[in-house]
Amino acid sequence: MRKIISLLLFSSLICFGQNAFSMNLSLNEATEKILAQSEDLKKAEANVKKAEASLDAVNANRWFNIEGTATYMNLINVENPAKSYGVDLPPELGGIIAQVTQQKIGNYIEIPDNIFLAGISITQPIYTFGKIGNAVESVRSAIKMSETGREITRREVVYAAANVYWTAKMTDDIVKISRRDLNQAIAAKKSLTSAGRVNRSNLVKIESDIATKEINLSDAEFNRDTAHRMLKILAGIDINEELNLTDDFPKTFGDLDAGELKNTPQWDLLNQQIIMYERNAKSKRAGAYPTLAATASYNYFGLDKDFENMFENNNSQSAYWGIALQVPIFSGGLHRANATVEAMNAEAARQDLDKSKKMTTEEYNRAIEKYNHLRGNLKGLENARNLAAKAYEFSRERFASGQTSAVELAEVSAGLYQLDMALLNTKYNILMSAESVKKLGE
């Protein structure tokens, strides 16, 4: 009784230690962590923001444009830099200028060498024959493409998360199967050696079988560690953290809620790509049409021989407003060629859409058929595995009583091992087929 109590306490301590030093992780938790860590999803989000910024840039062409300039110049007398420019006047002309300006003036006039120019101009597009409007609609389609691309990336990441999780879980179960298979071979050896007289041929066969199964277990543990490490990397979990995958492979699988494939994010993306190229073609073609715009300007001009008096004497102002019509006359066929390029891009995207509809529909239907096919085989496979387990028990009992050889026991054991692996692999493929349907569906 004390031994039983001690054993229970020891088992409890072991379980407590495993729970205390391992991280429980479900499929949903792993998926959320992988989504949060995904660089591809972050890049897709950045592409959405970039497309939205591009829309702001294109929309800016709809609004008025204001430009301001300010220039200061100082004229230099190249022949005599220390002397300002001037003009020699004949006495008669000097007298006439003096009468007009009512100032005494000599025969030499200095030209003001300090010049200041400033101005501001405003241009507002009124009608561009679709150059701006089609460009804006093209960028709107690009935004929808980037948003759809983000959804495609999210689905890919979810599918990858399920794949890496169930792969890691499968390696856990393979380790258990391999360890059980090895333990059965070790138990068979003990039963053989405890019987007294040992058949040497049986002993060699069992020892060979044990060596092989030890290698199988070592490979299974290596694959498990590799799968867990990959899961930790994708989920952003510390590489030294022990994982306890809490979701088990389902025992039964229900019907798929999947109807006829009518649309997918991939098709939405290609549709928007076609629209984008067609809008670009219209915008490029409209580059050959006139542009009507309102324009206005204000200018200030000041000059004087002294810098400090430049803004007080000899200054003037001017302003205007009006309507401007800019008409392209000859561009060497540039606009038509650019429009043709975009139109051909649209045609190529249209062909990609037709191909994607055929291939994606086939992939979607094949995933459904695979799910149903494997699900139909599952019951028969489970029945075969259970029969193999009974056959192994019969063979093990016969071997313990000396009624069969180690060769027969090894063959039955290998058959059970293969069916265990086949059953596990079938469940994995059923789950991933369902994930493929989710990824491809609407």
Side-chain angles (χ1 to χ4, degrees):
M1 185 66 181
R2 289 181 179 178
K3 291 182 178 180
I4 295 175
I5 294 175
S6 299
L7 182 60
L8 291 174
L9 289 173
F10 180 70
S11 301
S12 299
L13 287 174
I14 291 176
C15 294
F16 175 77
Q18 289 177 344
N19 293 331
F21 297 103
S22 63
M23 175 181 179
N24 292 332
L25 189 67
S26 67
L27 174 61
N28 289 336
E29 291 169 342
T31 301
E32 291 300 322
K33 288 181 179 292
I34 292 174
L35 284 171
Q37 294 290 324
S38 173
E39 292 84 1
D40 291 336
L41 197 56
K42 292 175 182 178
K43 286 168 58 178
E45 183 64 36
N47 287 335
V48 173
K49 294 179 180 178
K50 182 172 69 174
E52 291 172 348
S54 298
L55 179 62
D56 294 337
V58 175
N59 261 325
N61 294 322
R62 293 180 181 272
W63 313 116
F64 55 84
N65 182 39
I66 301 177
E67 292 184 355
T69 59
T71 305
Y72 167 75
M73 295 179 291
N74 182 266
L75 301 181
I76 299 174
N77 191 330
V78 179
E79 297 177 355
N80 185 2
K83 182 180 179 182
S84 300
Y85 277 111
V87 178
D88 291 320
L89 298 176
E92 298 81 4
L93 183 58
I96 294 173
I97 295 176
Q99 289 179 5
V100 173
T101 60
Q102 296 181 356
Q103 294 179 357
K104 185 178 180 180
I105 191 167
N107 293 335
Y108 182 83
I109 297 179
E110 289 187 352
I111 297 177
D113 56 0
N114 291 289
I115 302 173
F116 177 77
L117 302 171
I120 186 170
S121 61
I122 303 175
T123 304
Q124 170 64 57
I126 298 176
Y127 192 68
T128 62
F129 291 89
K131 283 194 289 289
I132 297 177
N134 284 304
V136 169
E137 293 303 318
S138 173
V139 176
R140 291 189 191 278
S141 294
I143 292 176
K144 293 179 181 178
M145 285 173 58
S146 62
E147 292 172 345
T148 305
R150 178 178 58 189
E151 172 61 18
I152 293 173
T153 302
R154 189 195 68 80
R155 293 189 180 198
E156 291 287 351
V157 173
V158 170
Y159 178 85
N163 189 12
V164 72
Y165 186 90
W166 290 121
T167 298
K169 187 64 180 180
M170 184 167 65
T171 58
D172 285 348
D173 290 351
I174 291 175
V175 168
K176 295 177 183 178
I177 293 171
S178 299
R179 183 174 288 116
R180 185 191 65 203
D181 195 38
L182 174 60
N183 291 337
Q184 288 173 346
I186 294 173
K189 179 182 177 181
K190 288 182 179 179
S191 68
L192 181 64
T193 55
S194 64
R197 186 176 180 180
V198 179
N199 184 311
R200 187 171 181 79
S201 175
N202 284 341
L203 183 60
V204 171
K205 174 58 181 174
I206 290 179
E207 288 178 344
S208 173
D209 202 29
I210 289 174
T212 301
K213 292 179 179 182
E214 285 176 343
I215 295 173
N216 291 340
L217 177 60
S218 178
D219 289 342
E221 289 175 339
F222 176 81
N223 292 333
R224 177 200 59 192
D225 295 341
T226 302
H228 277 238
R229 188 162 54 249
M230 181 58 66
L231 177 56
K232 293 172 192 175
I233 291 171
L234 293 178
I237 300 172
D238 188 272
I239 203 70
N240 296 317
E241 184 79 48
E242 292 293 331
L243 292 182
N244 176 34
L245 305 183
T246 57
D247 283 4
D248 293 321
F249 283 96
K251 294 181 179 179
T252 59
F253 297 87
D255 294 333
L256 276 180
D257 184 16
E260 180 183 356
L261 184 63
K262 296 181 179 179
N263 195 25
T264 70
Q266 288 87 346
W267 300 352
D268 286 338
L269 187 146
L270 290 170
N271 269 320
Q272 291 301 325
Q273 191 175 42
I274 293 170
I275 295 172
M276 181 189 72
Y277 285 137
E278 289 176 343
R279 289 289 188 175
N280 277 338
K282 292 180 180 179
S283 179
K284 300 294 184 183
R285 194 175 297 111
Y289 303 151
T291 297
L292 183 65
T295 182
S297 177
Y298 167 81
N299 297 283
Y300 174 88
F301 176 80
L303 74 164
D304 200 274
K305 64 180 181 179
D306 297 322
F307 180 81
E308 58 271 14
N309 297 325
M310 185 171 55
F311 298 100
E312 297 179 1
N313 303 322
N314 301 322
N315 58 58
S316 64
Q317 304 179 60
S318 65
Y320 71 85
W321 72 270
I323 302 294
L325 183 65
Q326 298 176 342
V327 182
I329 297 177
F330 180 74
S331 63
L334 175 65
H335 305 295
R336 183 176 64 255
N338 287 335
T340 301
V341 169
E342 297 297 332
M344 293 303 99
N345 286 335
E347 179 60 26
R350 196 172 288 108
Q351 297 303 320
D352 289 340
L353 176 59
D354 291 341
K355 180 179 179 180
S356 178
K357 285 183 176 180
K358 296 175 183 176
M359 299 304 294
T360 306
T361 300
E362 173 60 22
E363 185 179 357
Y364 177 80
N365 292 335
R366 189 169 64 248
I368 295 175
E369 290 173 0
K370 183 177 181 181
Y371 178 90
N372 292 328
H373 172 73
L374 293 175
R375 189 169 67 110
N377 288 345
L378 184 62
K379 188 173 182 180
L381 191 58
E382 288 175 340
N383 186 47
R385 188 268 168 200
N386 293 334
L387 291 174
K390 291 180 181 179
Y392 176 78
E393 289 299 323
F394 293 151
S395 182
R396 184 179 63 82
E397 292 173 359
R398 291 176 62 204
F399 179 80
S401 61
Q403 296 178 5
T404 188
S405 67
V407 174
E408 179 186 333
L409 182 65
E411 290 177 351
V412 176
S413 176
L416 176 60
Y417 179 82
Q418 291 173 1
L419 284 170
D420 278 330
M421 297 295 288
L423 184 60
L424 189 60
N425 189 60
T426 298
K427 289 184 177 181
Y428 167 80
N429 286 327
I430 291 174
L431 288 172
M432 295 315 300
S433 296
E435 292 295 333
S436 294
V437 173
K438 292 179 186 177
K439 182 181 70 171
L440 298 172
E442 295 185 47

